[in-house]
């Protein structure tokens, strides 16, 4: 299928590893992700809290630049803003007229927007994912953490079940991981309060980490740069503040998928993770040559 | 007058505020049943000064000042759980956005929050560069909020982990972008 890619600001900075692993995994699955030329910020939370018009016009500008092609998104926050703009502009003629006046170009809300998980499960298919696996994620007990904005509000995102989504679980299970049934899949991590009031993030992220640990997870998979940053970068200070221990590596689902595809850690940006994943991956036999050596065919190009 | 009668009277007097918020947000606030499902699922209800269902009720009652000065409208994480679970489909997150803007316009914003400062710097950065520039954003935010030392231990770690770039990435189309922001400001008739 033919897509254009909207990386969003986080994938350009704090989530560079999400960008790298996304491109590597997409390449392995035969999905090309050329970036929308000169894409700009979606406005994120500050726009919708400050100005409805900017919250619509900033995504609309990028969706117009996609020229009708399906826009692939990885960041849950960008995904939410692009989908919300599409929903409003398709249903509210007054909002559409206002955005057209502000932007100097009319946009009808019709550019399809899909998260990479939707593309992998619904367009590429789990069968193709399973076929591409050379190093099953055996020994990984993964808590798939979706956070807020992929699933809510469901009439806008139409992503999956808003209370118990399974798209990420399905992808990781196809790659050989054991995924857990746990209750905090869609609880909030506190998102950008990491900057403005970290006490909110400490409490909410602690609850997510503790629930994953208590459910028996040995790692967490995420599909959102803000979730990943809060769970990973702040894990140590949260453990200290609450007198607990977690030791849960927090991956992007694309990094786990890439490992299962036999891609190299450097291609997946694994060194950007703060909680060191090496002990877990080594124990699971995911690192080291003897495992890679078992692969059939060429390790370099994926054939 | 009974409490109930007082409430009915104050609802009658409060038409302006509830209508203002409903118009600005598109949320149908009149149909809230006060079932509290929003507050049960709200991740910050336990720590904040008001719960989501209380905000809705106070808006109905026309308690303008109390609502606009509340911490809740700045502690809400926009997680959309309330709207997803509301049996009446009251768009509480949209109401929160409208209240944030009204709170700033009325200069009632709770002194405890730095969210408006963060939002302003964020949007100014997008206006100027087209994309977020974390290092610049954090520097400006720290200067404006005097939080110089908070998280400074994270900076070397984030640089080592390649999580922040030192230089901004400037996107073409700066003149159009400024025009968009200016036009949006004019059309919405407020200062930003």
């Amino acid at each position: 299928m033919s897509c254009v890619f909207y990386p969003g600001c986080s994938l350009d900075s704090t989530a560079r590893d999400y960008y790298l692993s996304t491109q590597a995994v997409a390449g392995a699955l035969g999905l090309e992700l050329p970036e929308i030329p000169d894409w700009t910020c979606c406005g994120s939370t500050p726009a919708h809290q400050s100005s409805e018009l900017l919250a619509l016009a900033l995504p609309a500008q990028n969706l117009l630049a996609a020229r009708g092609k399906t826009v692939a998104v990885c960041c849950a926050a960008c995904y939410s803003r692009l989908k919300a703009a599409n929903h409003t502009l398709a249903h509210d003629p007054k909002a559409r007229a206002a955005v057209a006046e502000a932007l100097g170009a009319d946009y009808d809300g019709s550019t399809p927007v899909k998260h990479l998980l939707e593309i992998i499960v619904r367009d590429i298919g789990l069968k193709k994912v399973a076929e591409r696996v050379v190093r099953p994620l055996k020994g990984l007990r993964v808590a798939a953490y979706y956070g807020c904005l992929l699933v809510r509000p469901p009439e806008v995102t139409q992503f999956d079940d808003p209370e118990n989504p399974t798209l990420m679980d399905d992808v990781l299970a196809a790659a050989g991981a054991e995924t857990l049934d746990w209750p905090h899949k869609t609880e909030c991590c506190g998102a950008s309060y990491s900057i403005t009031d970290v006490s909110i993030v400490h409490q909410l992220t602690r609850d997510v980490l503790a629930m994953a640990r208590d459910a028996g997870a040995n790692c967490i998979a995420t599909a959102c740069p803000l979730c990943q940053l809060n769970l990973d970068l702040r894990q140590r200070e949260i453990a200290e503040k609450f007198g607990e221990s977690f030791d849960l590596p927090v991956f992007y689902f694309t990094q786990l998928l890439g490992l299962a595809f036999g891609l190299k850690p450097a291609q997946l940006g694994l060194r950007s993770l703060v909680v060191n994943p090496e002990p877990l991956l080594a124990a699971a036999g995911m690192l080291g040559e003897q495992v890679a050596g078992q692969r059939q065919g060429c390790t370099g190009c994926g054939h | 007058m009974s409490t109930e009668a007082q409430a009915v009277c104050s609802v009658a007097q409060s038409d302006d505020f509830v209508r203002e918020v409903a118009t600005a947000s598109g949320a149908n606030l009149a149909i809230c049943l006060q079932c509290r499902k929003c507050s049960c699922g709200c991740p910050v209800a336990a720590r904040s000064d008001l719960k989501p269902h209380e905000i809705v009720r106070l808006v109905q009652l026309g308690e303008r000042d109390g609502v606009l000065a509340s911490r809740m409208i700045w502690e809400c994480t926009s997680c959309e759980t309330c709207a997803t679970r509301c049996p009446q489909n009251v768009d509480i997150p949209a109401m929160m956005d409208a209240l944030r803007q009204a709170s700033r316009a009325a200069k009632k914003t709770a002194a405890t929050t730095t969210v408006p400062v963060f939002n302003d710097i964020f949007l100014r950065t997008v206006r100027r560069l087209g994309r977020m520039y974390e290092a610049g954003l954090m520097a400006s935010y720290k200067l404006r909020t005097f939080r110089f030392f908070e998280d400074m231990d994270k900076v070397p770690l984030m640089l080592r982990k390649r999580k922040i770039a030192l230089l901004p990435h400037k996107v073409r189309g700066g003149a159009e972008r400024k025009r968009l922001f200016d036009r949006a400001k004019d059309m919405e008739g407020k200062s930003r």
Side-chain angles (χ1 to χ4, degrees):
Chain A
M1 69 178 290
S2 173
C3 292
V4 285
F5 186 39
Y6 179 78
C9 303
S10 292
L11 269 76
D12 224 13
S13 57
T14 54
R16 198 66 198 155
D17 43 346
Y18 197 12
Y19 182 89
L20 291 172
S21 54
T22 290
Q23 289 289 4
V25 162
L29 290 170
L31 173 71
E32 277 184 47
L33 291 177
E35 285 183 31
I36 296 176
D38 293 318
W39 58 269
T40 53
C41 175
C42 69
S44 192
T45 310
H48 77 71
Q49 289 191 348
S50 310
S51 153
E52 199 199 352
L53 196 47
L54 281 179
L56 296 171
L58 291 169
Q61 195 173 36
N62 288 291
L63 292 166
L64 271 172
R67 299 181 182 278
K69 284 197 173 169
T70 295
V71 175
V73 194
C74 276
C75 169
C78 298
Y79 174 75
S80 159
R81 295 324 308 162
L82 300 185
K83 288 280 239 187
N86 266 352
H87 188 80
T88 304
L89 294 174
H91 292 93
D92 182 347
K94 244 170 92 183
R96 179 174 161 183
V99 168
E101 189 187 336
L103 214 51
D106 182 40
Y107 173 62
D108 61 2
S110 66
T111 302
V113 174
K114 288 185 183 177
H115 190 269
L116 183 64
L117 277 168
E118 295 175 290
I119 294 173
I120 291 177
V121 175
R122 295 182 184 141
D123 298 328
I124 295 174
L126 294 174
K127 195 167 157 257
K128 199 161 175 200
V129 171
E131 282 168 10
R132 187 63 186 74
V133 171
V134 294
R135 212 157 42 172
L137 301 169
K138 275 206 186 99
L140 297 193
R141 291 191 308 280
V142 189
Y145 177 60
Y146 298 77
C148 306
L149 297 174
L150 289 177
V151 292
R152 288 188 295 261
E155 64 275 17
V156 171
T157 68
Q158 300 185 334
F159 175 83
D160 199 352
D161 185 316
E163 302 289 354
N164 186 22
T166 54
L167 283 187
M168 200 188 333
D169 295 74
D170 296 344
V171 170
L172 295 171
E178 180 192 346
T179 62
L180 300 169
D181 192 10
W182 68 305
H184 276 39
K185 279 183 174 182
T186 63
E187 291 295 315
C188 180
C189 72
S192 61
Y193 282 92
S194 202
I195 297 165
T196 47
D197 187 348
V198 77
S199 70
I200 292 179
V201 169
H202 283 160
Q203 184 63 52
L204 300 183
T205 298
R206 186 220 83 100
D207 293 348
V208 173
L209 288 167
M211 188 57 82
R213 177 198 62 201
D214 295 346
N218 57 19
C219 63
I220 296 176
T222 58
C224 169
L226 287 170
C227 297
Q228 198 280 341
L229 200 64
N230 283 338
L231 292 166
D232 187 32
L233 182 68
R234 298 214 175 268
Q235 192 173 128
R236 194 164 150 194
E237 72 195 54
I238 290 170
E240 281 167 9
K241 180 173 176 177
F242 292 91
E244 296 193 76
S245 82
F246 302 108
D247 288 324
L248 290 168
V250 184
F251 299 98
Y252 291 106
F253 76 97
T254 43
Q255 292 176 314
L256 290 176
L257 211 48
L259 285 169
F261 290 172
L263 303 174
K264 295 195 180 74
Q267 289 174 276
L268 305 169
L270 285 190
R271 58 164 286 191
S272 289
L273 299 180
V274 176
V275 177
N276 183 6
E278 267 181 41
L280 173 72
L281 295 176
M286 302 297 297
L287 300 172
E289 289 308 307
Q290 75 282 11
V291 183
Q294 288 167 8
R295 295 183 65 232
Q296 293 179 338
C298 162
T299 47
C301 58
H303 294 301
Chain B
M1 211 178 344
S2 70
T3 323
E4 207 171 301
Q6 275 174 351
V8 171
C9 287
S10 58
V11 169
Q13 290 159 6
S14 70
D15 267 6
D16 284 356
F17 188 48
V18 73
R19 202 173 300 150
E20 201 179 297
V21 178
T23 306
S25 65
N28 189 352
L29 302 172
I31 60 172
C32 168
L33 301 170
Q34 289 289 298
C35 74
R36 308 181 185 200
K37 203 167 182 180
C38 50
S39 300
C40 291
C42 173
V44 293
R47 61 165 284 146
S48 205
D49 53 352
L50 291 168
K51 297 176 177 32
H53 78 279
E54 292 173 336
I55 298 260
V56 176
R57 193 73 185 116
L58 290 171
V59 173
Q60 290 174 340
L61 293 173
E63 291 288 339
R64 183 188 297 264
D65 290 356
V67 169
L68 296 186
S70 79
R71 279 195 287 121
M72 181 60 186
I73 59 177
W74 299 106
E75 290 182 349
C76 157
T77 63
S78 305
C79 76
E80 303 265 354
T81 306
C82 51
T84 301
R85 295 181 182 168
C86 176
Q88 292 287 82
N89 278 324
V90 178
D91 195 345
I92 297 173
M95 173 195 76
M96 292 291 189
D97 282 342
L99 292 174
R100 289 175 180 118
Q101 289 162 36
S103 160
R104 296 196 66 183
K107 300 197 187 330
K108 296 275 180 199
T109 305
T112 48
T113 184
T114 60
V115 172
V117 175
F118 175 77
N119 286 353
D120 286 352
I121 297 170
F122 188 104
L123 290 175
R124 214 174 305 136
T125 307
V126 176
R127 180 181 194 265
R128 197 160 53 90
L129 302 171
R131 292 182 195 167
M132 197 24 53
Y133 166 47
E134 278 79 3
L137 172 84
M138 289 312 294
S140 312
Y141 174 77
K142 283 180 182 303
L143 286 173
R144 288 271 307 272
T145 55
F146 301 103
R147 294 185 178 186
F148 302 112
F149 301 110
E150 202 171 86
D151 280 334
M152 283 312 275
D153 58 318
K154 302 275 186 315
V155 174
L157 175 69
M158 291 184 80
L159 286 171
R160 204 167 64 239
K161 294 286 178 185
R162 300 186 185 173
K163 285 185 179 293
I164 33 176
L166 286 177
L167 295 172
H169 192 124
K170 195 167 178 185
V171 192
R172 283 185 303 177
E176 290 93 330
R177 217 158 39 235
K178 282 187 183 114
R179 212 173 309 134
L180 165 65
F181 275 76
D182 291 345
R183 219 176 289 164
K185 190 169 140 183
D186 289 345
M187 286 170 66
E188 293 188 316
K190 59 194 174 192
S191 55
R192 188 171 302 113

Short mmCIF file of all heavy atoms in Angstrom, two decimals, chain B residues 145-164:
data_model
loop_
_atom_site.label_atom_id
_atom_site.label_comp_id
_atom_site.label_asym_id
_atom_site.label_seq_id
_atom_site.Cartn_x
_atom_site.Cartn_y
_atom_site.Cartn_z
N THR B 145 9.29 30.38 34.58
CA THR B 145 8.68 29.82 35.79
C THR B 145 9.66 29.71 36.96
O THR B 145 9.30 29.25 38.03
CB THR B 145 8.12 28.41 35.51
OG1 THR B 145 9.18 27.61 34.98
CG2 THR B 145 6.97 28.43 34.52
N PHE B 146 10.89 30.16 36.73
CA PHE B 146 11.95 30.11 37.76
C PHE B 146 12.22 28.69 38.25
O PHE B 146 12.65 28.49 39.38
CB PHE B 146 11.59 31.03 38.95
CG PHE B 146 11.41 32.45 38.54
CD1 PHE B 146 10.14 32.99 38.42
CD2 PHE B 146 12.52 33.23 38.23
CE1 PHE B 146 9.97 34.30 38.00
CE2 PHE B 146 12.35 34.55 37.82
CZ PHE B 146 11.08 35.07 37.71
N ARG B 147 11.96 27.70 37.42
CA ARG B 147 12.24 26.31 37.84
C ARG B 147 13.58 25.88 37.25
O ARG B 147 13.65 24.95 36.44
CB ARG B 147 11.16 25.39 37.32
CG ARG B 147 9.80 25.64 37.95
CD ARG B 147 8.87 24.58 37.43
NE ARG B 147 7.55 24.72 38.02
CZ ARG B 147 6.58 23.85 37.83
NH1 ARG B 147 6.78 22.80 37.06
NH2 ARG B 147 5.41 24.02 38.38
N PHE B 148 14.64 26.57 37.64
CA PHE B 148 15.93 26.35 36.97
C PHE B 148 16.50 24.96 37.18
O PHE B 148 17.14 24.41 36.32
CB PHE B 148 16.95 27.39 37.44
CG PHE B 148 16.50 28.78 37.19
CD1 PHE B 148 16.18 29.64 38.22
CD2 PHE B 148 16.35 29.23 35.88
CE1 PHE B 148 15.75 30.93 37.97
CE2 PHE B 148 15.92 30.51 35.62
CZ PHE B 148 15.61 31.37 36.66
N PHE B 149 16.28 24.40 38.38
CA PHE B 149 17.02 23.18 38.71
C PHE B 149 16.22 21.90 38.52
O PHE B 149 16.77 20.82 38.50
CB PHE B 149 17.56 23.28 40.14
CG PHE B 149 18.45 24.47 40.30
CD1 PHE B 149 18.06 25.57 41.05
CD2 PHE B 149 19.67 24.51 39.63
CE1 PHE B 149 18.87 26.68 41.15
CE2 PHE B 149 20.49 25.63 39.73
CZ PHE B 149 20.09 26.71 40.49
N GLU B 150 14.92 22.06 38.38
CA GLU B 150 14.08 20.87 38.23
C GLU B 150 14.50 20.09 36.98
O GLU B 150 14.60 20.63 35.89
CB GLU B 150 12.61 21.32 38.08
CG GLU B 150 11.61 20.26 38.44
CD GLU B 150 10.20 20.85 38.47
OE1 GLU B 150 9.58 20.89 37.41
OE2 GLU B 150 9.76 21.27 39.55
N ASP B 151 14.76 18.82 37.17
CA ASP B 151 15.09 17.92 36.05
C ASP B 151 16.41 18.24 35.36
O ASP B 151 16.69 17.69 34.30
CB ASP B 151 13.98 17.91 34.99
CG ASP B 151 12.83 17.01 35.42
OD1 ASP B 151 13.07 16.07 36.20
OD2 ASP B 151 11.70 17.25 34.96
N MET B 152 17.24 19.13 35.93
CA MET B 152 18.49 19.44 35.25
C MET B 152 19.40 18.22 35.19
O MET B 152 20.24 18.10 34.30
CB MET B 152 19.21 20.63 35.94
CG MET B 152 18.60 21.98 35.61
SD MET B 152 18.32 22.24 33.83
CE MET B 152 19.94 22.82 33.32
N ASP B 153 19.21 17.28 36.15
CA ASP B 153 20.01 16.05 36.13
C ASP B 153 19.69 15.21 34.89
O ASP B 153 20.47 14.34 34.51
CB ASP B 153 19.73 15.23 37.39
CG ASP B 153 18.26 14.88 37.54
OD1 ASP B 153 17.42 15.76 37.27
OD2 ASP B 153 17.95 13.74 37.91
N LYS B 154 18.53 15.48 34.27
CA LYS B 154 18.13 14.68 33.11
C LYS B 154 18.84 15.12 31.83
O LYS B 154 18.88 14.39 30.86
CB LYS B 154 16.61 14.80 32.87
CG LYS B 154 15.74 14.37 34.03
CD LYS B 154 15.51 12.87 33.99
CE LYS B 154 14.54 12.40 35.05
NZ LYS B 154 14.74 12.98 36.38
N VAL B 155 19.37 16.36 31.84
CA VAL B 155 19.90 16.91 30.59
C VAL B 155 21.07 16.09 30.03
O VAL B 155 21.02 15.67 28.87
CB VAL B 155 20.24 18.41 30.74
CG1 VAL B 155 20.92 18.93 29.49
CG2 VAL B 155 18.96 19.20 31.01
N PRO B 156 22.11 15.80 30.86
CA PRO B 156 23.21 14.99 30.30
C PRO B 156 22.73 13.61 29.83
O PRO B 156 23.13 13.13 28.76
CB PRO B 156 24.18 14.84 31.47
CG PRO B 156 23.75 15.78 32.52
CD PRO B 156 22.36 16.20 32.25
N LEU B 157 21.83 13.02 30.60
CA LEU B 157 21.29 11.70 30.25
C LEU B 157 20.56 11.77 28.91
O LEU B 157 20.76 10.93 28.02
CB LEU B 157 20.32 11.23 31.35
CG LEU B 157 19.57 9.93 31.09
CD1 LEU B 157 20.51 8.73 31.12
CD2 LEU B 157 18.45 9.72 32.12
N MET B 158 19.74 12.80 28.74
CA MET B 158 18.96 12.91 27.51
C MET B 158 19.85 13.21 26.30
O MET B 158 19.58 12.74 25.20
CB MET B 158 17.85 13.95 27.65
CG MET B 158 16.77 13.48 28.63
SD MET B 158 15.38 14.59 28.76
CE MET B 158 14.42 14.18 27.30
N LEU B 159 20.92 13.96 26.55
CA LEU B 159 21.86 14.21 25.45
C LEU B 159 22.57 12.91 25.07
O LEU B 159 22.72 12.57 23.91
CB LEU B 159 22.88 15.28 25.85
CG LEU B 159 22.36 16.72 25.89
CD1 LEU B 159 23.41 17.64 26.51
CD2 LEU B 159 22.01 17.20 24.48
N ARG B 160 22.99 12.15 26.12
CA ARG B 160 23.70 10.90 25.87
C ARG B 160 22.80 9.91 25.14
O ARG B 160 23.24 9.18 24.27
CB ARG B 160 24.18 10.32 27.21
CG ARG B 160 25.37 9.38 27.09
CD ARG B 160 25.99 9.10 28.45
NE ARG B 160 25.09 8.40 29.34
CZ ARG B 160 24.71 8.87 30.53
NH1 ARG B 160 25.14 10.03 30.95
NH2 ARG B 160 23.90 8.16 31.28
N LYS B 161 21.55 9.89 25.52
CA LYS B 161 20.59 8.95 24.92
C LYS B 161 20.02 9.51 23.62
O LYS B 161 19.06 8.97 23.07
CB LYS B 161 19.46 8.66 25.92
CG LYS B 161 19.89 7.92 27.16
CD LYS B 161 20.17 6.46 26.86
CE LYS B 161 20.65 5.69 28.08
NZ LYS B 161 21.03 4.32 27.72
N ARG B 162 20.56 10.64 23.18
CA ARG B 162 20.13 11.29 21.92
C ARG B 162 18.63 11.59 21.92
O ARG B 162 17.94 11.37 20.93
CB ARG B 162 20.48 10.41 20.72
CG ARG B 162 21.98 10.17 20.65
CD ARG B 162 22.36 9.44 19.41
NE ARG B 162 23.79 9.14 19.47
CZ ARG B 162 24.42 8.40 18.59
NH1 ARG B 162 23.76 7.89 17.57
NH2 ARG B 162 25.71 8.16 18.71
N LYS B 163 18.17 12.08 23.05
CA LYS B 163 16.75 12.40 23.16
C LYS B 163 16.46 13.87 22.92
O LYS B 163 15.30 14.25 22.78
CB LYS B 163 16.20 11.96 24.52
CG LYS B 163 16.02 10.45 24.63
CD LYS B 163 15.38 10.05 25.93
CE LYS B 163 15.18 8.55 26.04
NZ LYS B 163 14.18 8.05 25.08
N ILE B 164 17.49 14.72 22.98
CA ILE B 164 17.24 16.13 22.64
C ILE B 164 18.30 16.64 21.68
O ILE B 164 19.48 16.32 21.82
CB ILE B 164 17.18 17.08 23.87
CG1 ILE B 164 18.12 16.62 24.99
CG2 ILE B 164 15.77 17.26 24.37
CD1 ILE B 164 18.17 17.57 26.17
#
